[in-house]
Amino acid sequence: MPKPCLTDEELTTALADLDGWTLEEGGKAITAGFKFADFPAAFGFMATCAPTAEKMDHHPEWSNVYNSVDVRLTTHDSGGVTELDIKLARAMNKAAG
Amino acid sequence: MPKPCLTDEELTTALADLDGWTLEEGGKAITAGFKFADFPAAFGFMATCAPTAEKMDHHPEWSNVYNSVDVRLTTHDSGGVTELDIKLARAMNKAAG
């Protein structure tokens, strides 16, 4: 069974605690942009996050251009943002140091 | 000094030899989409390409969603496609197996 989407209140509370993340227009995903010193640092961040995502069986939509990584998290099965996205976002913030 | 952009003829020749790559509308970049079995395979491909890009000091614009990786290559300093892009595209095709 898909995870339930977070309520507006749950989302507000979760995002208040998630530095750098905002709700996408339409409310179906959360997004963040990460900046690093250079390409190795940016890709190192992705390489740290990748096994976490795989272990959670919850994968980011992300893009990288040189020292920046833009991330979009949504739970496709649920059609919106669930606790899985919040959990992965927290792990990514931790990985970004 | 920035590398010279490839001429139309050079581009046509290079792309004919580069499976999966096409010239972006406007002619300023080449793009390709790679599909893999799953997320670890897709990210493994990126992890194989990353050190090559860093060594060339020429970095892709790329995005990953689960098992797909979309890549855009351009030489910013030159304002278009140079031999650096062709070289990196070749290395990426090789990495994709």
Side-chain angles (χ1 to χ4, degrees):
Chain A
M1 212 176 80
K3 296 259 180 201
C5 290
L6 298 186
T7 64
D8 288 353
E9 199 183 331
E10 285 168 338
L11 260 175
T12 305
T13 307
L15 286 171
D17 199 38
L18 265 178
D19 205 30
W21 292 82
T22 52
L23 195 62
E24 189 180 77
E25 211 180 299
K28 297 291 190 199
I30 55 174
T31 61
F34 294 89
K35 283 270 183 188
F36 299 90
D38 51 22
F39 175 75
F43 197 78
F45 161 73
M46 296 176 81
T48 302
C49 295
T52 305
E54 181 59 15
K55 202 184 291 179
M56 289 176 63
D57 193 21
H58 191 61
H59 303 88
E61 301 172 16
W62 50 0
S63 59
N64 159 243
V65 179
Y66 194 55
N67 67 335
S68 27
V69 180
D70 288 322
V71 186
R72 180 179 189 267
L73 300 180
T74 184
T75 305
H76 289 282
D77 290 351
S78 310
V81 181
T82 69
E83 60 177 24
L84 282 173
D85 301 301
I86 304 300
K87 196 176 160 189
L88 184 52
R90 270 199 210 107
M92 294 182 96
N93 276 13
K94 199 175 163 189
Chain B
M1 212 176 77
K3 297 258 178 201
C5 290
L6 298 185
T7 64
D8 287 354
E9 198 182 331
E10 285 167 338
L11 259 175
T12 305
T13 308
L15 286 171
D17 198 38
L18 264 179
D19 204 30
W21 291 83
T22 53
L23 195 62
E24 188 181 77
E25 210 180 299
K28 299 288 188 202
I30 54 173
T31 61
F34 295 89
K35 283 271 184 187
F36 300 89
D38 51 22
F39 175 75
F43 197 79
F45 161 73
M46 296 176 81
T48 302
C49 295
T52 306
E54 180 60 15
K55 202 184 292 179
M56 288 176 65
D57 192 21
H58 191 62
H59 303 89
E61 301 172 16
W62 50 0
S63 60
N64 158 243
V65 178
Y66 192 58
N67 66 336
S68 26
V69 179
D70 289 323
V71 187
R72 179 180 189 266
L73 299 180
T74 185
T75 306
H76 289 282
D77 291 351
S78 310
V81 181
T82 69
E83 62 177 22
L84 283 173
D85 300 302
I86 304 300
K87 197 176 160 190
L88 184 53
R90 269 199 210 107
M92 294 182 97
N93 276 12
K94 200 174 162 191

